[in-house]
Amino acid sequence: MGSNQTSNSSNRTSNETSSEVPVQTSNQTPNQRSNNNTQNPSAKAQPKVDDVFAFPHPAGDGMRRYMAPSLFQPHNARQAIRDAHAKKIPPLIGYYAGLSSIAITRFVAPMGFDMVWIDWEHTSCGVERMTTMVHEIMFMSGGRTIPFVRIPGNDHASIGYALDAGASLIIPQVETPSQARHAIAASKFGASQGGTRSVPPFRLIPGLTDLPADGLDSGRDVWKNWNDRAAVMIQIESLKGIENLDSILTEVPEIDIVWLGALDCRVSMGLSANLGMGEEKEWVEAVERFREVCKKHDKPMGGFCFVGGENMVKMARDYSLLVHCADVLKLYEMFGALVEARGVLMKAGIGAN
């Protein structure tokens, strides 16, 4: 059969053999055929497996520049937040995962959000599911997205579980400097650095996934590197927390970013929840006080921003992290679609007989 192919090829006219692709005979090896394509400038180059991350992404590379040597280690979220605060990069654009769904997380991860907020505090989510969601975000985004986990309280174990998974932290309901100090201590390795975090002996594979981010010659192992990379964001969710925020940031400067939990804060002040919004005098004064203290300490702020356009631009001037989308809100839109559909059919008189 090979000899027939060769014979047929030699009998073709010059017009037939003027194709851009070289004539291949059956005795060519795959490597030889590959060499033919390489030598022919007009042949399309095939991407290598190693180049998979080189493909352009519609949303850009996101946080890949802050990746660690292994996706089992956290991004340098602390530096990303500092860069956003200094306006070297735009604010981190985030997605709120309020349903603790692995399937939804896997679906959203490739979209390329800068960060994902996993709400472990307000969902029926166990340690294994939380860990799986963190890994889905890290790996399925190709390192473009930083996972943040809001832990269910300010306890040592929950902080360790989230950090061991490779996430950065969101600490809810911080009201005092001692609570903030506890969160920072529980998130750091090494007593010399004020840390009380336990080293996970088998979370990383020696020589494979435990390479230090600043290089083998730095003299600093992966654990010291980890201290510098995973970010800690605290939530101020009460008037007491706002009143103590100056002391908190003075005594615990290691906090990377601050978030005003407006919904809880309003409820704690005896105001209507109103999705965290309002114009009451005491509320306006509390919010202004929060912002003044953050500016005094030059501390980055994070917040929800479910709108776009000029309103987003206005927030972006002051905020370093903006959560812009949420699974719960997108699913809630289905209710509006249902009401609209029933209204259209009712107006048309269909099914009214």
Side-chain angles (χ1 to χ4, degrees), residues 148 162 192 246 254 263 317 323 331:
F148 279 73
S192 62
D246 191 23
E254 297 88 352
L263 190 66
R317 292 193 176 100
V323 173
L331 289 172

Side-chain angles (χ1 to χ4, degrees), residues 69-73 203-212 222 226:
S70 164
L71 288 175
F72 286 102
Q73 297 180 36
R203 175 62 67 177
L204 302 177
I205 303 173
L208 184 59
T209 61
D210 70 340
L211 300 177
V222 66
W226 208 312

Side-chain angles (χ1 to χ4, degrees), residues 174-188:
V174 174
E175 292 186 321
T176 65
S178 62
Q179 291 173 342
R181 275 194 299 270
H182 169 78
I184 293 298
S187 69
K188 305 294 183 183

Side-chain angles (χ1 to χ4, degrees), residues 25-256:
T25 59
S26 61
N27 60 353
Q28 284 183 305
T29 66
N31 285 338
Q32 287 172 325
R33 290 194 290 272
S34 175
N35 289 336
N36 283 342
N37 287 337
T38 303
Q39 294 166 1
N40 185 353
S42 62
K44 291 183 178 179
Q46 296 300 311
K48 300 177 183 178
V49 174
D50 292 342
D51 293 337
V52 66
F53 287 141
F55 291 134
H57 189 281
D61 279 342
M63 296 289 106
R64 291 199 69 241
R65 73 183 74 176
Y66 301 100
M67 283 172 54
S70 164
L71 288 175
F72 286 102
Q73 297 180 36
H75 287 70
N76 194 345
R78 302 189 72 194
Q79 188 61 51
I81 291 169
R82 286 193 289 264
D83 286 350
H85 185 58
K87 305 307 178 191
K88 295 179 180 179
I89 62 172
L92 278 64
I93 303 298
Y95 156 79
Y96 171 79
L99 296 176
S100 290
S101 167
I102 294 173
I104 293 177
T105 300
R106 184 180 299 128
F107 186 88
V108 172
M111 294 181 184
F113 283 93
D114 295 323
M115 62 85 67
V116 171
W117 173 318
I118 299 173
D119 198 345
W120 191 16
E121 181 188 21
H122 290 301
T123 58
S124 54
C125 178
V127 174
E128 290 186 3
R129 177 176 290 268
M130 177 275 295
T131 300
T132 299
M133 290 178 68
V134 169
H135 290 169
E136 290 285 345
I137 292 163
M138 297 277 272
F139 286 87
M140 297 302 286
S141 73
R144 291 181 174 87
T145 305
I146 301 176
F148 279 73
V149 174
R150 175 158 68 174
I151 62 172
N154 188 2
D155 66 283
H156 196 281
S158 296
I159 290 173
Y161 283 133
L163 289 171
D164 286 356
S168 286
L169 294 174
I170 302 169
I171 311 293
Q173 299 178 334
V174 174
E175 292 186 321
T176 65
S178 62
Q179 291 173 342
R181 275 194 299 270
H182 169 78
I184 293 298
S187 69
K188 305 294 183 183
F189 296 111
S192 62
Q193 301 180 65
T196 60
R197 182 182 173 193
S198 176
V199 173
F202 303 110
R203 175 62 67 177
L204 302 177
I205 303 173
L208 184 59
T209 61
D210 70 340
L211 300 177
D214 59 6
L216 293 172
D217 298 329
S218 67
R220 289 165 20 99
D221 62 17
V222 66
W223 311 118
K224 290 182 179 179
N225 275 258
W226 208 312
N227 284 351
D228 299 334
R229 301 179 68 81
V232 177
M233 175 163 63
I234 64 168
Q235 284 191 284
I236 302 299
E237 302 187 85
S238 67
L239 184 58
K240 179 180 179 181
I242 293 176
E243 292 171 345
N244 288 334
L245 183 57
D246 191 23
S247 297
I248 291 172
L249 297 181
T250 299
E251 298 181 32
V252 193
E254 297 88 352
I255 293 166
D256 296 294

